[in-house]
Amino acid sequence: MSDKVVLITGAARRFVAEIARTLHGLGYRVVLHYHHSAAEAEQLAAELNASRPDSAHLYTLHPAATDQLADLVASATGLWGRLDGLVNNASAFYPTPLDTVSEAQWDHIMVSNLTA
């Protein structure tokens, strides 16, 4: 799989970082998208690149910036001349009881989880 490239959104933390590690371990080159988790994303990319140089790259973008999604895909494709897969995980998360969620929080969740 060494020539395969996958874009992973929301890749910096939790189980999706493990998905990135697993795919990378299988030989994929990975484009790691993040929004708020810069430190975690940089640490993950450094870890992956330490085991296989130039095999992980970072891209930051607000999930609601739907007008820039084409740029994200173009950048991901431009790194190694192809894009073979997508792990679409970027999302908003509010550990809040449903009956206390504000309309602004709801709108943000819908944009990041569905629209983007």
Side-chain angles (χ1 to χ4, degrees):
M1 293 289 184
S2 64
D3 63 333
K4 301 291 185 182
V5 178
V6 64
L7 167 61
I8 306 170
T9 67
R13 299 187 301 150
R14 296 186 280 274
F15 72 93
V16 181
E18 289 305 313
I19 291 172
R21 287 182 181 98
T22 298
L23 291 172
H24 187 267
L26 292 171
Y28 283 82
R29 291 176 281 185
V30 294
V31 181
L32 307 170
H33 159 268
Y34 69 95
H35 178 225
H36 289 298
S37 305
E40 293 97 334
E42 290 167 4
Q43 181 179 353
L44 178 59
E47 171 191 326
L48 299 178
N49 283 321
S51 70
R52 204 168 72 244
D54 195 37
S55 60
H57 283 272
L58 296 175
Y59 194 97
T60 185
L61 178 68
H62 189 291
T66 56
D67 61 325
Q68 297 175 32
L69 293 175
D71 292 339
L72 170 59
V73 172
S75 293
T77 304
L79 286 167
W80 294 292
R82 62 186 299 157
L83 185 59
D84 301 291
L86 169 67
V87 176
N88 194 24
N89 175 70
S91 64
F93 175 70
Y94 298 98
T96 307
L98 187 58
D99 62 343
T100 64
V101 172
S102 71
E103 187 172 342
Q105 289 173 319
W106 179 261
D107 290 344
H108 185 239
I109 289 169
M110 291 299 108
V111 167
S112 69
N113 292 9
L114 298 177
T115 305

